[in-house]
Amino acid sequence: MNGSMTALAADPYNMIITGVGGQGNVLASRLLGNMLMAQGLNITIGETFGASQRGGSVMSHLRASTFNDLSPQIPKGRAHLIVSLEPTEALRVLKDYGSEQVHVLCNMRPIHAIAVISGEAQYPEAEQLKGWITDLSHTAWFLNATETAMEMGNPIFTNIILVGALSATGVLPLDRDIFEATITRMVPSDKIAKNLEAFDRGKELIES
C-alpha cells in the first residue's frame, strides 16, 4: 500500500467479476484487488463457483472501501460494477445483483452450455443480449476481448484486455503505471511485456 486513499463513487464500492471456469476470472479479480490495494484501499474478495470444474459458472465479489469491516459477499441488488467474460453470465448476475446504478463491461464471446450444444436450448443473438444488458444497467460497454486476445496469439489474455478496457471507462482508478507495477509482481518477468500489450489493447477497444 502506498497510503494514498483514492476516491470511490461509493464506499464500499461493490464489483462482481463473472465468467465460466477456465476464462481467468479469479486472476482478474485478484489483479484488480491488488491494483486498488496499491492505492490505499481495503479490499475484500469472495469467490463463488456454480460448478468447480472447467466450464462452470465462476463469480468473484470484490468490495473496495476506505474502512475494513466488510462481508465478502455483496448483498443482492447492490453491485456498482459487473465485469463479465461471457454475455449470458452478465445477465445471470444482473438479475440478482444489478441496480439502476450498475455499470457493466461485457466480453461478447459466447460460451455455449451443454443444453445449447445438444440442441435443447437456443443461445440468444448478440444484439438481443446487448439490449437486455443495456436495459438492466446504467451504462454498458461491449467488446470482443477474446477475439483481440486471439489476435495476440492466445485467448488467455482476454481477462487482461478486460482490465485494460475497464481502466479506460473511468469508473475506477486503474491507470497503466499501477497495472505495470502490479502485474510485475504477479507474473514471471518474461510475461510482463505481453500483459502490458493486452492492457493497452483493452484500453484501445474502449477509446476507439
Side-chain angles (χ1 to χ4, degrees), residues 83-139:
V83 177
S84 181
L85 287 95
E86 205 281 339
T88 58
E89 292 298 316
L91 273 178
R92 184 177 62 80
V93 172
L94 274 169
K95 176 176 67 68
D96 289 332
Y97 294 95
S99 68
E100 293 181 354
Q101 291 77 39
V102 70
H103 302 289
V104 178
L105 177 68
C106 182
N107 178 33
M108 289 304 295
R109 176 79 166 193
I111 294 182
H112 292 167
I114 294 297
V116 174
I117 295 170
S118 65
E120 296 175 5
Q122 186 172 2
Y123 195 92
E125 297 293 331
E127 292 307 313
Q128 283 182 304
L129 287 164
K130 288 180 179 179
W132 294 333
I133 292 169
T134 299
D135 287 345
L136 292 170
S137 60
H138 179 278
T139 309

Side-chain angles (χ1 to χ4, degrees), residues 33-105:
N34 286 335
M35 291 176 71
L36 294 170
M37 282 181 65
Q39 299 174 78
L41 293 166
N42 298 302
I43 302 297
T44 304
I45 298 179
E47 290 162 351
T48 63
F49 300 84
S52 59
Q53 71 272 30
R54 182 179 178 86
S57 296
V58 179
M59 177 168 55
S60 298
H61 290 203
L62 273 79
R63 310 189 78 189
S65 176
T66 55
F67 58 90
N68 244 332
D69 189 19
L70 290 175
S71 159
Q73 293 297 308
I74 295 170
K76 291 192 174 181
R78 301 288 294 276
H80 300 104
L81 171 67
I82 295 169
V83 177
S84 181
L85 287 95
E86 205 281 339
T88 58
E89 292 298 316
L91 273 178
R92 184 177 62 80
V93 172
L94 274 169
K95 176 176 67 68
D96 289 332
Y97 294 95
S99 68
E100 293 181 354
Q101 291 77 39
V102 70
H103 302 289
V104 178
L105 177 68

